[in-house]
Amino acid sequence: MREILGRRRRLLSRRNDGRPELISAALTFATEWQWPVLPGVAPDPRGRARCGCPDPECTVPGAHPFDPGLLAATTDARMVRWWWTNRPSAPIVLATGGKAPCAVSLPALAASHALALLDRRGMRLGPVIAAPNRWALLVKPYSLQQLGELLYAKDFVPGSLRFHGEGGYVALPPSETAHGTLRWERAPLPGSAAPWVPDVEAVVDAVVDALTRTGVSAPEF
């Protein structure tokens, strides 16, 4: 009996290891803001630059869904609590589109210059997620048709811009990925039912213009 109780205590201890702020953040996203989330695959403990998924060439290590898949994303508090109780260090992945925000991301250096210029212009931005290599600007949900029309109307769009729309995803702070811990470069304003986010057209127009005017290169990665 002592041996069985000892194994149970060790199991509970392992489940409670990790970062308690992750479950708190996941519950806020899901229940207060109604953003569908799910646990992502964690970085491989054998190396920070490696992903815990089976793909040795994974391009988003520690920052994507794997098991469960993206369609499992939910706003149900019981499911979210169960996931992060059993996987307390799992990254928080937002399923973009639908009623949830979408995102536009670009390399970190280019993004920092673009945001500085937009701040000087007084443009209002929503939450901005910062990783060591890329930043993501959250925007209102958009359709593929809307995105296609937006890009078609432009003479130039940097190839390093990535669009996280319907059927896509983005990892949320304070997740730990293989490239480092995610943080809010622009934190969501407190006190509202869900954070305000701008239209995708305004963000893409402003970012492309800022990158063009500052002359900051935005490499493909």
Side-chain angles (χ1 to χ4, degrees):
M1 177 61 72
R2 288 179 185 169
E3 188 175 342
I4 293 174
L5 290 175
R7 284 201 299 268
R8 286 180 178 174
R9 290 193 189 99
R10 288 193 295 272
L11 177 59
L12 288 173
S13 176
R14 285 197 297 271
R15 286 184 175 181
N16 289 327
D17 286 342
R19 300 170 55 204
E21 68 270 26
L22 283 170
I23 189 170
S24 176
L27 285 168
T28 295
F29 300 145
T31 62
E32 295 185 24
W33 299 354
Q34 290 296 292
W35 291 1
V37 298
L38 74 162
V41 60
D44 190 323
R46 295 172 295 176
R48 286 180 57 84
R50 298 175 59 177
C51 188
C53 75
D55 182 4
E57 304 297 328
C58 181
T59 57
V60 283
H64 67 91
F66 173 63
D67 183 17
L70 188 62
L71 292 178
T74 184
T75 59
D76 182 77
R78 291 173 300 176
M79 192 73 246
V80 169
R81 192 179 299 277
W82 185 86
W83 273 333
W84 271 274
T85 298
N86 288 276
R87 298 167 59 179
S89 298
I92 305 169
V93 174
L94 167 69
T96 54
K99 295 182 179 180
C102 293
V104 176
S105 69
L106 64 160
L109 178 61
S112 66
H113 283 268
L115 262 63
L117 179 57
L118 298 182
D119 283 344
R120 290 196 295 271
R121 292 180 178 177
M123 178 178 172
R124 184 184 180 189
L125 292 173
V128 177
I129 303 165
N133 60 336
R134 291 188 74 85
W135 291 8
L137 290 70
L138 297 185
V139 298
K140 291 180 181 177
Y142 57 80
S143 66
L144 288 178
Q145 179 181 355
Q146 182 183 3
L147 178 62
E149 292 173 354
L150 170 64
L151 298 181
Y152 182 77
K154 292 208 157 295
D155 295 328
F156 168 74
V157 176
S160 59
L161 281 181
R162 293 178 187 166
F163 298 90
H164 311 258
E166 185 74 37
Y169 62 88
V170 64
L172 296 171
S175 300
E176 180 78 25
T177 75
H179 294 301
T181 302
L182 303 185
R183 62 178 176 83
W184 294 112
E185 175 64 24
R186 296 286 190 278
L189 295 177
S192 59
W196 177 88
V197 291
D199 291 323
V200 65
E201 292 92 344
V203 167
V204 171
D205 287 346
V207 166
V208 170
D209 182 58
L211 293 178
T212 303
R213 288 177 179 273
T214 58
V216 176
S217 61
E220 294 272 1
F221 70 92

